[in-house]
């Protein structure tokens, strides 16, 4: 595929999830595989992004200013032109949470723009994925992008996102089952349109004591009142992926009377 921006996916003002996909052989000036545009809130999880080419920036993914998205458990490798992941003006208003990604062997470097290299932090790696069969020739039809049994990416993904067999997730297209992390939750809050609602406070209002609410990755500007109920709020990913930011003043999370309420992997700021 060829496009000026985002030959694989161009996401503008979008909420949703990109998961368990292969992006290979795409060409663009910016963001050969994926271009994340203004005000996009996406969870990009368990994808394999290889052998794409960007004439300017972002041989794998280009993240424009104004987005808030999470990239988890992805392989972004062997871009024939451009960086693996490029973020425009990241210090100003591009918010990216990066965890358990393998970004490796991209022609113009692994990260560019306003991004600091997160390798070694939050499970991010930079190692050869060790595919069963791969040739960087722009033709995905002769590749087998499953992981070799000895690949460093096997069982190296997000701790809280299991594979179908219950083991820790692999990184890349063939690993991870994010929906499996919802087990035991009676209410799922998500900004991606795939839950029971998109406000944590609404979920708390609807939930009885001892209930569990799963809060998918994102930043939630809710002032949450548990109303004395011993509710568990948990995220399927580690802290920083899921944040309650609340309002500019006042209590962000009111736990009055809820002595046994629990927060699991949810940041309150």
């Amino acid at each position: 595929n060829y496009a000026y921006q985002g030959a694989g996916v161009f996401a503008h003002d979008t909420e949703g999830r990109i998961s368990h996909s292969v992006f290979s052989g795409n060409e663009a000036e910016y963001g050969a595989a994926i271009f994340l545009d203004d005000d996009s809130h996406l969870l990009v999880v368990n994808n394999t992004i290889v052998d794409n080419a960007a004439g300017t920036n972002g041989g794998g993914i280009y993240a424009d200013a104004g987005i808030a998205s999470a990239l988890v458990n992805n392989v972004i490798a062997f871009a024939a032109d451009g960086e693996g992941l490029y973020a425009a003006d990241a210090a100003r208003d591009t918010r990216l949470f990066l965890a358990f990604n393998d970004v490796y062997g991209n022609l113009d470097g692994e990260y560019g723009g306003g991004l600091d290299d997160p390798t070694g932090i939050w499970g991010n790696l930079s190692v050869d994925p060790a595919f069963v069969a791969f040739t960087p020739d722009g033709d995905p039809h002769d590749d087998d992008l499953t992981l070799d049994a000895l690949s460093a990416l096997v069982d190296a993904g997000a701790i809280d996102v299991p594979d179908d067999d219950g083991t820790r997730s692999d990184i890349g297209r063939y690993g991870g089952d994010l929906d499996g992390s919802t087990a035991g939750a009676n209410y799922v809050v998500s900004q991606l349109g795939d839950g029971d609602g998109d406000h944590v406070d609404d979920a708390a209002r609807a939930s009885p004591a001892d209930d569990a609410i799963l809060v998918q990755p994102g930043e939630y500007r809710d002032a949450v009142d548990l109303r004395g109920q011993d509710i568990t709020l948990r995220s399927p990913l580690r802290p920083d992926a899921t944040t309650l930011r609340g309002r500019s003043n006042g209590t962000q999370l009111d736990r009055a009377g809820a002595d046994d309420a629990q927060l699991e992997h949810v940041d309150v700021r």
Side-chain angles (χ1 to χ4, degrees):
N1 297 324
Y2 175 80
Y4 183 67
Q5 296 173 320
V9 170
F10 179 86
H12 174 78
D13 194 12
T14 301
E15 296 180 355
R17 183 192 304 180
I18 301 171
S19 69
H20 297 97
S21 299
V22 171
F23 296 86
S24 184
N26 298 286
E27 298 181 19
E29 281 301 309
Y30 299 90
I34 300 173
F35 189 103
L36 302 176
D37 199 20
D38 183 52
D39 204 28
S40 288
H41 296 74
L42 290 169
L43 176 60
V44 183
V45 58
N46 278 108
N47 300 283
T48 295
I49 300 169
V50 297
D51 201 17
N52 301 282
T56 303
N57 293 118
I61 298 176
Y62 186 105
D64 208 359
I67 69 149
S69 296
L71 277 60
V72 181
N73 277 12
N74 301 286
V75 177
I76 306 173
F78 305 120
D81 201 0
E83 310 86 356
L85 176 59
Y86 184 95
D89 204 7
R92 181 172 63 86
D93 57 2
T94 300
R95 290 171 290 160
L96 280 175
F97 174 76
L98 306 173
F100 301 98
N101 300 290
D102 180 34
V103 184
Y104 175 81
N106 299 285
L107 183 66
D108 292 334
E110 317 311 350
Y111 298 92
L115 280 176
D116 294 328
D117 188 338
T119 302
I121 303 170
W122 289 111
N124 290 295
L125 303 172
S126 186
V127 299
D128 189 329
F131 298 122
V132 169
F134 171 72
T135 305
D137 57 5
D139 180 6
H141 297 97
D142 57 356
D143 297 331
D144 181 350
L145 298 178
T146 55
L147 299 176
D148 184 86
L150 298 179
S151 169
L153 306 189
V154 173
D155 294 339
I159 297 167
D160 307 296
V161 181
D163 277 344
D164 290 338
D165 62 3
T167 62
R168 179 173 170 174
S169 61
D170 299 343
I171 296 175
R173 156 69 179 85
Y174 299 100
D177 176 17
L178 188 68
D179 293 328
S181 65
T182 66
N186 297 318
Y187 198 108
V188 178
V189 182
S190 175
Q191 296 175 337
L192 309 177
D194 58 355
D196 299 305
D198 57 3
H199 289 284
V200 181
D201 192 57
D202 290 346
R205 289 174 182 271
S207 299
D210 301 320
D211 214 352
I213 299 171
L214 183 117
V215 188
Q216 295 283 26
E219 181 178 277
Y220 296 85
R221 295 188 176 273
D222 289 358
V224 180
D225 184 354
L226 298 184
R227 296 167 182 81
Q229 305 275 45
D230 293 326
I231 291 170
T232 297
L233 299 179
R234 64 180 173 89
S235 168
L237 300 177
R238 297 290 169 168
D240 279 355
T242 303
T243 303
L244 297 179
R245 191 167 292 277
R247 298 165 183 158
S248 59
N249 53 56
T251 301
Q252 315 288 50
L253 177 65
D254 189 343
R255 296 178 55 169
D259 296 335
D260 294 322
Q262 299 182 52
L263 292 179
E264 299 178 2
H265 312 321
V266 176
D267 282 0
V268 181
R269 298 180 182 177

